[in-house]
Amino acid sequence: MHEEKSSKQRTGDEPVKEGAIPAYLLDREKQSRAKVLSNMIKQKRKEKAGKWQVPIPTVKGMDEAEVFRVIKTGKRKGKQWKRMITKATFVGEGFTRKPPKYERFIRPMALRYKKAHVTHPELSATFCLPIIGVKKNPSSPMYTQLGVITKGTVLEVNVSELGLVTQSGKVVWGKYAQVTNNPENDVCRRKMGSALKEFKMN
């Protein structure tokens, strides 16, 4: 009924090599390698998280009623779709306003900031540097898009004037800095026409 296989079969007479691992223990080495890899990945994540630590980790959220003021328009002031931003803002160099009839978000000129006082933690010195852009406003992605600057906002500042160089020898162009105060409360500086705020640099 059953025929014997023609393939060669191992016999028990062959000598076992020294240090040979049984078949049921072969997978254990793979597991230890996987553990090492996962530990390495976790360590790298921790290092990366430490690299991007900010002076103010948690910030109180800003309500829209606090940031925007409703502007009534139309012949009988019946339309209420326009909003005026009551906080400090940043707009780029080539920014042009939309025609007033179609502009939904109004950014007043008095609250537009172009420069910032940035404090370097290692050097313990403060520099007046131009702002490149608003990287992230923790209160809302819409505020980031509009360039609203509030407490806790992460900005990108131009540090080329400081002459910072990387390990490979490249000049550092921009660095991230976090706002540590409320810029709109800076009345005396705003009257002087300068846009200066206290920051911490990463």
Side-chain angles (χ1 to χ4, degrees):
M1 284 178 73
H2 298 287
E3 291 179 8
E4 195 177 340
K5 285 183 181 178
S6 57
S7 60
K8 290 179 183 178
Q9 292 181 351
R10 286 186 181 182
T11 56
D13 302 332
E14 290 176 10
V16 179
K17 292 178 184 177
E18 286 184 17
I21 303 166
Y24 62 87
L25 292 175
L26 286 169
D27 290 338
R28 290 196 182 181
E29 193 181 348
K30 288 179 185 175
Q31 283 178 0
S32 64
R33 278 182 189 171
K35 252 188 180 178
V36 169
L37 278 168
S38 68
N39 287 341
M40 277 173 65
I41 291 163
K42 282 176 186 175
Q43 191 65 32
K44 279 185 181 177
R45 278 181 188 162
K46 277 182 183 177
E47 284 172 11
K48 204 173 182 183
K51 189 182 175 184
W52 298 110
Q53 275 181 348
V54 286
I56 309 168
T58 53
V59 184
K60 184 193 165 193
M62 285 271 183
D63 190 37
E64 281 193 18
E66 201 177 343
V67 177
F68 302 123
R69 186 159 59 87
V70 178
I71 302 292
K72 293 181 180 180
T73 56
K75 192 177 179 180
R76 291 171 182 82
K77 305 295 178 188
K79 296 174 184 176
Q80 297 182 8
W81 59 277
K82 287 193 178 189
R83 299 287 182 271
M84 184 178 279
I85 298 167
T86 58
K87 303 287 176 187
T89 56
F90 169 77
V91 293
E93 287 293 320
F95 173 75
T96 50
R97 284 182 63 185
K98 286 182 182 178
K101 191 178 179 181
Y102 305 108
E103 191 178 31
R104 177 163 163 71
F105 296 103
I106 301 160
R107 285 170 268 201
M109 286 291 290
L111 288 169
R112 290 187 196 176
Y113 287 64
K114 287 185 179 178
K115 289 196 172 184
H117 265 174
V118 182
T119 306
H120 199 290
E122 290 168 13
L123 300 172
S124 298
T126 305
F127 307 96
C128 185
L129 301 171
I131 301 168
I132 296 171
V134 177
K135 186 68 182 170
K136 189 176 183 182
N137 190 318
S139 299
S140 168
M142 186 172 69
Y143 299 165
T144 307
Q145 195 178 355
L146 290 167
V148 178
I149 302 168
T150 55
K151 191 174 181 179
T153 304
V154 177
L155 301 181
E156 193 174 1
V157 289
N158 189 344
V159 292
S160 58
E161 297 168 14
L162 304 181
L164 298 172
V165 184
T166 58
Q167 290 176 347
S168 58
K170 291 180 180 178
V171 177
V172 179
W173 180 259
K175 275 209 170 231
Y176 295 134
Q178 190 185 33
V179 183
T180 56
N181 72 340
N182 292 316
E184 71 276 2
N185 293 347
D186 222 353
V187 181
C188 59
R189 285 175 181 174
R190 206 191 311 149
K191 277 183 181 174
M192 285 161 55
S194 58
L196 309 177
K197 301 173 290 305
E198 293 301 320
F199 285 79
K200 295 282 181 189
M201 192 185 288
N202 287 353

